[in-house]
Amino acid sequence: MKNVIFTLILSAMALMPVHADNKPSKLSAQALYAQFQNPDSRYRPFVRWWWNGDAVVGKELVRELHLLRDAGIGGVEINPISLPYGADQHGYKQLTWLSQPWLEALDTTLTEARRIGMTCDLLIGSGWPFGSETLPHKDRASVLLTAAIPLTPGRHYEFSKFDLFKRLDPGVSITNSAREPRLEIAYLVPDSINDFRQAKDVTAEFANGNYVVDTPAEGKYQLYAMVRFDSFASVINGAPGAAGSILDHMNAGAVRRYLDNMYNTIETKTGPLSRWLRSFFVDSMELEGTNWTDDFREEFKRRRGYDVMPWLPFTMFKVGRLGDVESYIFGAKKGPDFKNQVDRVRYDFELTKAELLQERYTNTFTSWCKEKGVKSRAQAYGRGFFPLESSLSYDIPEGESWTTNWLRHRLGEEMGDRDYRRGRGYTMIDKYVSSAAHLTGKRLVSCEEMTNTYLVFNTPLELIKIGTDMSAFSGVTHSVWHGFNYSPRDVAFPGWVQYGSYYNEKNTWFPYWKYLNNYRARVSSILQNVDMQTDIAILPPNADLWTEMGVQTEPFPRDLNVTYTSLIWEAIHKNGGGADYLSESIIEKCDVRDGHLCYGPKSYSAIFLPDVKGTTQGVMDKLLEFVRGGGRVFCIGTYPQRSLGLKDYQERDAKMRATVDELKGYADRFVLLEKPQDGKYLEWYRNVMDKYQLSHAVTITNPDRFVLQNRYKADDGSDLFFFANVNLKDSKQTDVVFPESMTRGKSAWLYDPADGKRYTLKLDGQRLHLDMGPAEAFFVVFNDVKAKAPVYKRKPLQGEQYIELGNWTASLHHSREGWVKTMAMPDSLQDLKNTEYSHFMGDITYTTTVNVESGRMPKYLNLGRVCEIAEVKINGRPAGVQWFGDRVIDVEGMLHAGANTIEVKVTTLMGNYMHTLKDNKVAQRYVIKRNHPLRSMGLLGPVRLYE
């Protein structure tokens, strides 16, 4: 009877929704290792599941759920989106979002996902940002745009409103045919202006028809025109029913009405969504430059104390798609005092916009989710949002990481200083998101990984692994792969492809995807049960950015005022420390205790201000209190020198200068540092760290820009370190010295997420020699566990004596066309890129025979260079799969005296083959038109056996 009851309990648990709490129950060291060995589904990567065109069928949805689960995926983010560009609909009907057939498809998905133990998140709406075809006019977003038209002296001009509207027609991703322009302000402006009162208001003259002006013979003028466009943009990639006008995110009523309409409609079919969903999800807030709402002027005056309208045209730049600034050289020349004032108004404008978005959108959405009993998950950033504060209130804050364009940013190959994007998989925004999580004690930080719009068919699993290791370095603890395309099996090859790394059963490496998923699940099982240790703070110069250039909070901003900010936190971590970002509002709310800035669970002993020129008096007062209490402030390049915003700025500037002067009296704790030289950030910080004895968890004797380090603390007091070498080709060596207080009486372990095993580490006193192969990552753990485990030893890359294998026969099996062909390689291995099979895709099985003498039996097989995945058999027995890093196989005990058969199956990428599909729109879009070069293929060696 007890067994029956237990079985019933397990069955009931299987039918419960799968939730991932952001503060899971505490685990002992042994329980943490057990979870590492066999991670729960909550730790497994999820996928962004593109419901392409919402052309979905219940039977196919169920099949794909099972396909994903069997590949090691733990959950899905249901993401309705338009059909991919140029896709053949293949007779499948596109369902209208929230229609009865769509609700039935959703219900089928939720029911089956719960039955098989998978988690579901649901996108709010479709595409980004959300909206719909039926959105009421009052709920649609608006934008203000300014034109500055140079006028030649001594000329006659006639302008109509239509002329202005045509000049300013918003440069958006998806044009909205319902857009409605309205002239707000028109000024005739001298081309050298020192006061906005020098501008002549000619708005009323447009009301009488054409505006006619004869410019004076002397002096230059410009016609400024500020136009409001309502309903100006449409949802990007919106599916039927959820395309159309985008929502006004600065209108709390509009946000609430949209959310309620979606929820109430779905609930009629499914019942309360808390039974089915882990979270409601919102993608990055690409609002196309939205900067206005009906009561903005009144709210600005209430908050900032003056009327923004006379100033506003002068604060704006020429913008295009997504609100990106096309040129900062814009409009009439401004005298220095007037420019200073205009910049301050720009800051006030951006601040007001961010406050309205926070209060009316973010707070409305997060409180609505709590009301519905479903978690909130969001990429809470975008042009106009607070880059840090916007992530504080979400249950699951999310970042975004990229494979990037391997021709430009070369992930795993470079890590330069001149362009903060080069070689980085994580984006600039990820550190803000993870810092917000640390400040609020959240352990679950998800990430859209690895966003891929370039290398869809040319992305090896190894590159994704390096990218996700970089995400972990930036503070991410859970992966949501970007993305899995809903695509029925009978759709013409390669199926519907929206974006992503082609996670599809037709991909050559799909059978090996589970290795990556298991790896990432093990990493997440650790990271979601520990706390990152960060005790150095950084205040990024975002207030200056807003003042001088306006907001720039996309994942990869093109233009920044201080380009090296992210290199500072990198250098801190790579030298053995840990850092978080703070903001003005966070610092103002900090307590000062025992010489530390304290907020929530976090405590910081020092703070860096990289080229921060402007900040608030509240920040300066807090820093003065901090320094008086023993804390240290490091200003890089400059001291703070100005207040923010326009009202009473001269008085506030004077007070700030007085505070800075007072801080300078603490010369040992208020320090001005020179800006680091390009290429010297690691060395620069090492010198600062040593000179000022800044805290760091470990001493890394030979810091390397490719060697990443984070320190964590587990609930039982265990110390953990995540080390990663994110170089695709080169090994890295350094010594790491741990403090005695951390190692005394503790067991030292290496947890290898590639195989789920732990190994004993042998330290030389407090010193560990770190020898990491390409793309290798692992955890170093100190705890009280006493257990037996093999001693960790990196597989040797060579031996004093070796046997080089040759005389290979290669059998090529084309994974799409099905043919099998054989080629002999009697002399040396060949790169298939340079043969008649240069456009091959599939598996290549290399076979040879080697004679081994008795008494000296090799232990290792080094495959040399492999493109891309290698699966080895020795005498017909499986010997292992190598999908990243050094392709070295432990073959001890698998060889015998005499003849031995070595078989190496190499799985290639698809990109070379896609070049041959000249009439295939998907191949055209992602390979041919991008001019992807042919990639090397196959087993390149040299292949050697040694002891």
Side-chain angles (χ1 to χ4, degrees):
M1 184 64 180
K2 289 182 179 179
N3 289 338
V4 173
I5 293 173
F6 183 65
T7 301
L8 290 173
I9 291 172
L10 288 179
S11 299
M13 290 175 65
L15 293 176
M16 294 173 64
V18 182
H19 291 294
D21 197 347
N22 218 327
K23 197 70 172 179
S25 57
K26 295 182 178 182
L27 297 180
S28 66
Q30 286 287 46
L32 184 61
Y33 176 59
Q35 191 65 255
F36 175 76
Q37 290 178 295
N38 186 24
D40 291 345
S41 63
R42 74 165 86 182
Y43 303 120
R44 294 197 158 276
F46 289 9
V47 294
R48 172 167 294 182
W49 191 11
W50 304 116
W51 280 18
N52 284 312
D54 272 342
V56 294
V57 178
K59 186 176 181 180
E60 175 63 17
L61 290 167
V62 169
R63 187 189 77 84
E64 293 187 8
L65 278 172
H66 284 257
L67 186 71
L68 290 166
R69 183 199 60 179
D70 294 345
I73 294 298
V76 293
E77 171 202 304
I78 300 168
N79 196 307
I81 198 167
S82 62
L83 269 177
Y85 173 77
D88 182 354
Q89 200 164 321
H90 207 74
Y92 286 97
K93 181 181 179 182
Q94 295 190 69
L95 307 182
T96 300
W97 181 65
L98 299 185
S99 67
Q100 192 61 33
W102 187 88
L103 295 175
E104 290 173 1
L106 178 64
D107 186 58
T108 296
T109 301
L110 298 175
T111 301
E112 184 65 14
R114 186 170 71 171
R115 191 185 73 79
I116 65 175
M118 293 187 75
T119 300
C120 288
D121 293 347
L122 178 63
L123 181 74
I124 297 295
S126 169
W128 59 90
F130 48 77
S132 76
E133 291 98 325
T134 59
L135 198 66
H137 185 278
K138 64 179 180 178
D139 292 350
R140 299 176 188 173
S142 301
V143 66
L144 287 178
L145 300 172
T146 294
I149 306 168
L151 305 178
T152 302
R155 290 279 302 274
H156 176 79
Y157 290 94
E158 293 186 15
F159 294 98
S160 69
K161 288 183 182 179
F162 179 77
D163 293 329
L164 303 181
F165 299 159
K166 188 175 180 180
R167 284 176 179 268
L168 284 173
D169 199 14
V172 296
S173 302
I174 307 293
T175 301
N176 191 340
S177 60
R179 61 195 182 282
E180 300 176 7
R182 181 168 71 246
L183 180 64
E184 294 288 333
I185 293 174
Y187 287 151
L188 185 62
V189 178
D191 203 1
S192 181
I193 183 170
N194 295 296
D195 190 310
F196 74 82
R197 285 166 291 197
Q198 293 178 274
K200 179 184 178 183
D201 189 336
V202 296
T203 312
E205 297 184 36
F206 278 92
N208 300 322
N210 290 353
Y211 168 59
V212 179
V213 59
D214 292 304
T215 56
E218 300 293 330
K220 295 181 180 180
Y221 286 82
Q222 295 202 18
L223 177 65
Y224 269 62
M226 190 168 68
V227 176
R228 172 176 174 173
F229 285 85
D230 294 331
S231 310
F232 75 102
S234 297
V235 176
I236 303 170
N237 289 345
S245 299
I246 64 175
L247 185 72
D248 181 359
H249 289 63
M250 287 186 275
N251 181 332
V255 173
R256 179 72 196 211
R257 283 188 290 273
Y258 187 93
L259 296 173
D260 283 343
N261 175 64
M262 183 210 70
Y263 183 90
N264 294 339
T265 305
I266 295 175
E267 190 181 42
T268 61
K269 180 65 178 177
T270 65
L273 285 171
S274 58
R275 297 174 54 210
W276 306 99
L277 296 177
R278 178 186 72 157
S279 73
F280 290 115
F281 172 64
V282 179
D283 207 346
S284 56
M285 302 308 300
E286 299 172 23
L287 299 184
E288 294 281 10
T290 297
N291 60 9
W292 200 251
T293 194
D294 285 341
D295 65 343
F296 193 102
R297 182 176 186 177
E298 292 75 16
E299 282 295 319
F300 185 98
K301 189 170 185 178
R302 182 176 69 83
R303 295 164 189 256
R304 310 281 88 89
Y306 64 96
D307 186 4
V308 70
M309 294 306 285
W311 296 90
L312 198 51
F314 301 104
T315 69
M316 294 187 172
F317 304 109
K318 181 177 174 56
V319 298
R321 177 179 173 271
L322 299 179
D324 288 344
V325 175
E326 295 182 358
S327 175
Y328 292 97
I329 302 173
F330 184 72
K333 297 182 181 69
K334 304 176 183 68
D337 289 342
F338 184 55
K339 183 182 184 304
N340 175 43
Q341 293 169 353
V342 166
D343 287 348
R344 289 173 177 276
V345 174
R346 183 181 299 112
Y347 172 82
D348 284 341
F349 179 69
E350 300 291 9
L351 177 62
T352 302
K353 185 168 57 174
E355 288 174 348
L356 292 177
L357 287 168
Q358 181 74 23
E359 296 164 14
R360 297 179 174 184
Y361 165 68
T362 301
N363 295 350
T364 300
F365 177 66
T366 54
S367 62
W368 177 84
C369 288
K370 287 182 172 62
E371 176 186 314
K372 302 304 180 185
V374 179
K375 293 184 183 299
S376 55
R377 170 178 153 239
Q379 297 174 4
Y381 48 85
R383 188 178 292 273
F385 287 78
F386 290 111
L388 178 65
E389 292 92 326
S390 293
S391 291
L392 291 174
S393 59
Y394 283 95
D395 295 310
I396 308 172
E398 176 160 298
E400 186 171 354
S401 298
W402 286 63
T403 55
T404 70
N405 184 335
W406 65 295
L407 297 175
R408 288 186 299 161
H409 296 163
R410 298 173 58 199
L411 186 65
E413 297 181 52
E414 65 175 343
M415 190 77 75
D417 289 348
R418 291 185 179 273
D419 185 340
Y420 74 96
R421 299 169 295 184
R422 290 200 174 275
R424 275 82 175 177
Y426 50 84
T427 62
M428 188 193 76
I429 203 68
D430 288 351
K431 194 62 177 177
Y432 290 101
V433 173
S434 65
S435 296
H438 299 160
L439 291 164
T440 49
K442 298 185 180 82
R443 290 174 169 176
L444 177 53
V445 183
S446 63
C447 188
E448 175 189 313
E449 290 185 340
M450 298 289 298
T451 303
N452 193 351
T453 58
Y454 303 105
L455 305 179
V456 173
F457 299 101
N458 267 323
T459 303
L461 293 177
E462 180 177 42
L463 193 69
I464 302 174
K465 180 196 178 294
I466 280 183
T468 195
D469 287 341
M470 288 188 180
S471 289
F473 176 55
S474 71
V476 168
T477 66
H478 189 234
S479 300
V480 181
W481 299 133
H482 176 284
F484 184 82
N485 286 275
Y486 174 92
S487 184
R489 284 181 289 183
D490 58 347
V491 172
F493 179 86
W496 292 335
V497 180
Q498 187 67 249
Y499 300 112
S501 299
Y502 197 57
Y503 303 105
N504 185 285
E505 61 210 288
K506 296 174 184 176
N507 196 327
T508 49
W509 53 243
F510 189 82
Y512 300 98
W513 187 28
K514 61 187 176 184
Y515 288 92
L516 172 64
N517 291 330
N518 290 339
Y519 170 85
R520 190 54 170 127
R522 295 183 188 113
V523 171
S524 291
S525 74
I526 297 290
L527 298 183
Q528 290 183 40
N529 287 288
V530 295
D531 294 311
M532 188 189 288
Q533 301 300 288
T534 50
D535 63 355
I536 294 175
I538 301 170
L539 174 64
N542 289 323
D544 293 329
L545 179 71
W546 289 17
T547 298
E548 299 161 10
M549 304 169 69
V551 292
Q552 306 278 327
T553 46
E554 290 72 33
F556 274 131
R558 182 191 64 188
D559 301 308
L560 292 171
N561 58 331
V562 179
T563 58
Y564 67 86
T565 303
S566 62
L567 304 180
I568 301 300
W569 75 258
E570 279 187 20
I572 293 171
H573 283 253
K574 292 173 184 178
N575 274 285
D580 283 327
Y581 283 160
L582 300 185
S583 67
E584 277 79 9
S585 70
I586 294 294
I587 293 173
E588 289 174 359
K589 295 171 186 173
C590 282
D591 294 324
V592 176
R593 296 194 297 269
D594 301 323
H596 287 71
L597 278 175
C598 303
Y599 185 99
K602 298 302 298 182
S603 175
Y604 304 98
S605 60
I607 184 169
F608 284 81
L609 278 59
D611 268 310
V612 172
K613 298 188 289 290
T615 189
T616 68
Q617 186 61 42
V619 165
M620 298 308 299
D621 291 341
K622 188 65 65 173
L623 294 182
L624 180 58
E625 181 186 357
F626 176 51
V627 167
R628 284 172 174 168
R632 285 180 291 180
V633 177
F634 295 91
C635 303
I636 306 174
T638 183
Y639 292 117
Q641 54 196 252
R642 69 182 181 211
S643 62
L644 303 174
L646 181 66
K647 195 171 189 302
D648 303 325
Y649 73 90
Q650 292 170 324
E651 295 87 343
R652 292 186 291 112
D653 281 1
K655 186 174 182 181
M656 179 166 291
R657 288 192 294 269
T659 307
V660 170
D661 288 342
E662 188 172 356
L663 279 162
K664 288 178 181 178
Y666 300 88
D668 59 333
R669 298 200 294 277
F670 187 68
V671 180
L672 180 64
L673 302 172
E674 290 187 7
K675 174 188 170 183
Q677 296 179 359
D678 287 339
K680 297 292 184 180
Y681 282 82
L682 289 184
E683 296 81 359
W684 172 86
Y685 183 73
R686 180 60 175 266
N687 291 334
V688 172
M689 183 180 75
D690 290 344
K691 180 177 180 179
Y692 296 98
Q693 297 184 326
L694 291 174
S695 64
H696 50 287
V698 294
T699 298
I700 298 175
T701 60
N702 184 31
D704 188 288
R705 58 191 59 239
F706 287 97
V707 177
L708 316 181
Q709 175 277 148
N710 286 340
R711 180 196 174 194
Y712 305 88
K713 199 80 171 178
D715 291 325
D716 71 337
S718 299
D719 288 292
L720 301 92
F721 294 85
F722 180 72
F723 290 103
N725 172 16
V726 294
N727 193 294
L728 271 170
K729 300 176 182 178
D730 300 330
S731 298
K732 299 292 180 179
Q733 294 82 32
T734 185
D735 284 351
V736 180
V737 182
F738 299 92
E740 184 181 2
S741 59
M742 189 179 295
T743 62
R744 187 188 306 116
K746 302 287 185 180
S747 299
W749 307 97
L750 183 144
Y751 286 18
D752 187 351
D755 62 13
K757 297 178 181 178
R758 68 183 173 194
Y759 301 85
T760 300
L761 276 177
K762 295 296 185 182
L763 274 63
D764 180 9
Q766 307 303 122
R767 186 180 298 264
L768 171 67
H769 181 65
L770 207 62
D771 184 5
M772 305 189 73
E776 188 176 14
F778 46 69
F779 291 95
V780 172
V781 182
F782 297 98
N783 60 30
D784 293 323
V785 173
K786 306 299 180 185
K788 291 184 178 180
V791 175
Y792 175 75
K793 180 182 178 183
R794 184 183 170 195
K795 296 171 189 172
L797 300 181
Q798 58 188 2
E800 291 185 6
Q801 294 184 339
Y802 62 85
I803 304 170
E804 186 158 336
L805 279 59
N807 197 26
W808 294 93
T809 298
S811 177
L812 288 73
H813 178 203
H814 200 290
S815 62
R816 181 175 181 232
E817 297 176 2
W819 53 255
V820 177
K821 297 183 180 181
T822 301
M823 64 182 296
M825 297 183 180
D827 299 321
S828 61
L829 291 163
Q830 300 177 52
D831 186 339
L832 291 191
K833 181 183 72 171
N834 302 321
T835 71
E836 61 183 300
Y837 301 110
S838 59
H839 291 85
F840 172 80
M841 85 171 192
D843 297 329
I844 313 159
T845 301
Y846 297 81
T847 306
T848 192
T849 301
V850 59
N851 285 304
V852 178
E853 297 179 3
S854 59
R856 300 206 65 175
M857 205 59 61
K859 297 179 181 178
Y860 299 101
L861 173 66
N862 189 330
L863 301 176
R865 186 181 174 199
V866 180
C867 308
E868 298 292 331
I869 299 169
E871 184 171 0
V872 177
K873 290 183 179 179
I874 307 291
N875 295 319
R877 294 168 53 198
V881 172
Q882 292 291 324
W883 57 279
F884 72 89
D886 294 325
R887 270 55 167 186
V888 180
I889 305 285
D890 187 337
V891 296
E892 187 172 9
M894 301 191 73
L895 298 164
H896 54 249
N900 293 265
T901 300
I902 310 294
E903 183 179 293
V904 183
K905 185 176 76 172
V906 175
T907 299
T908 75
L909 298 178
M910 300 175 61
N912 289 7
Y913 173 72
M914 299 301 287
H915 275 283
T916 69
L917 306 181
K918 304 296 185 182
D919 298 325
N920 187 293
K921 292 180 179 179
V922 178
Q924 283 281 344
R925 179 184 182 189
Y926 284 114
V927 177
I928 298 172
K929 288 185 177 179
R930 295 186 184 277
N931 295 316
H932 283 188
L934 293 181
R935 291 178 65 106
S936 293
M937 287 191 295
L939 179 63
L940 307 186
V943 183
R944 292 171 176 171
L945 282 166
Y946 49 89
E947 294 184 38

